[in-house]
Amino acid sequence: MCQAAIEAGCRFFAGYPITPQNEVPEYMSSHLPEAGGIFIQAESELAAINMIFGASAAGVRCMTSSSSPGVSLKQEGISYIAAAELPCVIANMQRGGPGLGNIRASQGDYFQAVKGGGHGDYRIIVLAPSTLPEIYELTMAAFDYADHYRNPVLILGDGILGQMAEPIELKPYKPVVELPEKDYILDGCKGREPRIVKTLLLRPAEALVEFNEYLKVKYARIESELKLCEQYLTEDAELVVAAYGITARIAIDAIDAAREKGLKVGLIRPITLWPFPNEAFKEVVGRAKKFLVVEMSNGQFVDDVKLAIDCSRPVEFLGTGGGWYPTPEKIFEKIEAVYK
Amino acid sequence: MAKIKIDSEKCKGCCLCVAECPRGNIRMSEIFNNSGHSFAEIIDIENCTGCALCCQMCPDMAIQIEDEKKTGKIAIKESSQRKSSKELMKKLE
Amino acid sequence: MKFKKPESLYDRNTHYCPGCGHGIVHRIIGEVIDELGIREETIGTAPVGCAVLLYDYFNFDVIECAHGRPPAVATAMKRIHPDKIVFTYQGDGDLAAIGTAEMIHAANRGENFTTIFVNNAIYGMTGGQMAPTTLVGQRTTTTQKGRDLIKQGPPLKVCELLSSLDGVAYLERVAVSTAKDSMKAKKAIKKAFQNQIDGKGYSLVEVLSMCPTDWKLSPAQAVGFVNDEMKKVFKPGVYKDTDVK
Ligand SMILES: Cc1ncc(C[n+]2csc(CCOP(=O)(O)OP(=O)(O)O)c2C)c(N)n1
């Protein structure tokens, strides 16, 4: 992830230590300066996200990373960054919660990430990679989406992904979307009118309503343009498993085992959690008799699956929060149990 | 004579300049400006030295002092010279 | 003598209450930036507080920050644009309550930006609640019988607090409650900006300032409060200057 970020031109990183993502700031602290970038170990996640706010307004590609409790602290800042329409990349390697919880992998921050953990009507793009090569690819793309839409992008991983080792092919960076000129950068007003980066909209009285209308249109545009999703053996699937991130990867083994037994099981793995790839679900809903959602939480992502299919099929659930994780065997058992 | 100018529309009537003027040469108007404030006004423009202490205290940048006209300064000097020469003449008489 | 609006300020009426010290501090900053010829190189930060709209008055780039976070934002700005002039403008709630950590750590890292800290001993924007710098005995909407030394503790003295930090280059406490004080404040603020130009590290000027509205005093009485009460607790002077060995 770090190498991809540097490759994609990230030149500013601020973070505060928290397990299980310490490898990120540690790597950045030595490699980013070598690439001519700036690394700051901030005094808190509050400071880190506000450094990102400043760095983004100063015009550089920037990133922060943390894990669940730290990302909670960043929420006010994320709301400001979204309101100021500044690009940035945030990584959350989720751990068990609520509270201090534990440091095992979890997917308990889905609501916070996807429904907006901070205040106000804003949206952030949420990417959920499931392998290291995909982390590499999506991290690069995250900077592009952030710049393209002038919006924060969150990479939602978990403690397993964060600490896993896997061979990856280091591809050179190539933008995946058009990158508009940054005409908002604050760098002194020489030769131009002064610029302001602000989020307070008091006057006229309708200003904030109008800005929210504008955001609505912008978010609708992102929803129509950016939806990433992987489907696995869904063409004839009667039971469709829905999972994201590391859970989806584990589910594939269970699905393969089920297929060997003649069970028609497939997988939908959303890669963008916001925007949510509703269409992929709508597409299979005619064939599928049932859905099974697997997630490492008490049930958050499952709500969006139900919404995507308008509750038109039964949706079974396998998941628990707090560091519980599924094995292929556990998922296979559940598949067998719900498959009729 | 200094060219002091008070912008009555900028003034919010806080009176901080009044207290600051070493010559007690600023007072508050009996009428109100468009924002509803009684505003600062110079009592005797001839009596203003242009020390700008009032400007130092004005939170609203309502007071400006323009460059002293060189002629003004010379004129003062001339008059004082004339006066003193008159006095000299008197003394001589 | 000549006295007119600096170029770094727009010719606009401010939203500040009559007798509020923010306007004086704005004027001084504008003059200093003009005199140093750095308007086009300057990036200011606006705090959450009464001065949140300062970008409506200053004629240079400004970023409005979350409450208490200007030092973090300025840290990033200055690191990315080391050749630009970055300053934070913060109230006592912003700097000494919700943003204490950011302020102390930016100072301790010796970040090369300038902080103008406007201490009016109260939360102005939210209607006059107790600030960390509220004086013992001072009435506010949340200390209606006056700040109690036992219950709320004594006022936080920022210059004294920061003076022990090695990263800090310059600390001075001034006031804008008399013309003479304002002139001194200007000298201090100019030095704080000059330090940044010279790459000396973190400089902070604390400005004791009036808030007649929330103090429920007339502007003239508010000036008296600064001169007679605040200066007793918050003693004006230079608290640190690495130039003086
Ligand atoms: C996170 C957060 N908490 C609280 C507020 C509300 N708030 C706005 S201004 C302010 C106090 C500002 O006081 P100060 O920094 O002393 O500045 P002044 O208004 O006195 O100039 C507070 C508490 C906020 N905007 N954001």
Side-chain angles (χ1 to χ4, degrees), chain B:
Chain B
M1 184 191 78
K3 275 241 172 140
I4 182 166
K5 270 206 295 204
I6 300 182
D7 183 336
S8 58
E9 284 310 319
K10 280 215 172 103
C11 177
K12 293 178 187 149
C14 72
C15 314
L16 294 185
C17 55
V18 174
E20 208 59 56
C21 180
R23 297 197 163 194
N25 197 19
I26 306 177
R27 68 171 173 224
M28 300 312 289
S29 69
E30 279 166 16
I31 54 171
F32 301 107
N33 65 15
N34 285 331
S35 322
H37 298 297
S38 156
F39 52 86
E41 48 185 27
I42 293 290
I43 297 168
D44 176 8
I45 190 120
E46 302 290 326
N47 190 23
C48 172
T49 62
C51 71
L53 291 179
C54 51
C55 308
Q56 292 291 344
M57 279 313 280
C58 178
D60 298 296
M61 295 237 60
I63 315 176
Q64 301 214 3
I65 292 171
E66 274 168 26
D67 266 332
E68 270 182 79
K69 295 254 164 32
K70 285 228 171 77
T71 49
K73 249 192 176 160
I74 292 164
I76 291 165
K77 269 184 190 158
E78 271 177 4
S79 66
S80 61
Q81 267 172 7
R82 217 177 292 148
K83 202 175 165 195
S84 55
S85 58
K86 260 186 203 163
E87 277 166 6
L88 271 174
M89 296 283 267
K90 260 186 195 168
K91 275 184 186 170
L92 279 174
E93 273 169 16

Side-chain angles (χ1 to χ4, degrees), chain A residues 6 12 29 96 107 134 154 168 209 274 292 321:
Chain A
I6 294 172
F12 187 95
S29 69
Q107 293 180 323
E134 199 179 29
L154 179 84
I168 51 171
V209 174
W274 190 88
L292 167 63

Side-chain angles (χ1 to χ4, degrees), chain A residues 82-95:
Chain A
E85 294 199 85
L86 292 173
C88 75
V89 176
I90 305 146
N92 178 5
M93 293 298 152
Q94 300 167 88
R95 59 186 255 179

Side-chain angles (χ1 to χ4, degrees), chain C residues 66-119:
Chain C
H67 196 21
R69 318 299 165 211
V73 175
T75 293
M77 274 285 172
K78 183 69 185 183
R79 295 273 194 117
I80 290 166
H81 298 307
D83 52 336
K84 304 292 172 192
I85 303 303
V86 178
F87 75 94
T88 70
Y89 183 108
Q90 303 179 256
D92 39 56
D94 196 74
L95 180 135
I98 194 166
T100 316
E102 281 77 5
M103 175 264 297
I104 287 184
H105 286 277
N108 193 50
R109 287 191 301 264
E111 299 291 347
N112 188 31
F113 66 80
T114 305
T115 292
I116 309 303
F117 165 38
V118 179
N119 177 358

